[in-house]
Amino acid sequence: MKSKIYPYTAENSIHVMEKYRGQGVASRLMEHMLKEAHGLGLHTVVALITSTNGASIALHQKMGYELIGSMREVGWKFGSWQDMVIMQKIL
């Protein structure tokens, strides 16, 4: 369902099982998702990523996302507070 406030913005989230990582699965999923987002008339896609997740940050950079900000201690994961980075791709 499209948001009435932000109808041209979406947030992405891709999770790949550990045994399939490093095989290009996330890249192919991201490429497909971005193509679909563009086809749906979206203007921008954002991602909130745990700041220590270098692989996800690198994937988003490879796909043309830019780092636009960060939030401190907003997520609880692995038994501790986590900082998040905000990345954005304008389609």
Side-chain angles (χ1 to χ4, degrees):
M1 179 168 92
K2 278 192 173 182
S3 165
K4 291 180 183 180
I5 299 172
Y6 302 103
Y8 303 103
T9 300
E11 179 183 357
N12 79 356
S13 182
I14 294 176
H15 299 275
V16 177
M17 290 176 62
E18 191 170 341
K19 69 181 181 178
Y20 297 110
R21 292 179 189 162
Q23 299 177 33
V25 173
S27 293
R28 290 192 302 275
L29 288 169
M30 179 81 74
E31 287 171 357
H32 180 74
M33 183 273 305
L34 290 171
K35 182 179 176 184
E36 289 295 312
H38 186 265
L40 289 170
L42 295 179
H43 177 68
T44 187
V45 180
V46 296
L48 301 175
I49 306 167
T50 306
S51 65
T52 56
N53 189 340
S56 184
I57 293 168
L59 169 66
H60 283 79
Q61 288 174 328
K62 177 178 126 178
M63 295 294 166
Y65 284 73
E66 295 181 52
L67 178 64
I68 60 167
S70 63
M71 299 182 290
R72 294 182 38 91
E73 298 184 6
V74 295
W76 181 261
K77 190 175 179 181
F78 307 126
S80 65
W81 289 106
Q82 302 290 313
D83 296 347
M84 304 293 285
V85 297
I86 307 162
M87 299 189 78
Q88 178 184 23
K89 179 176 178 71
I90 296 178
L91 301 175

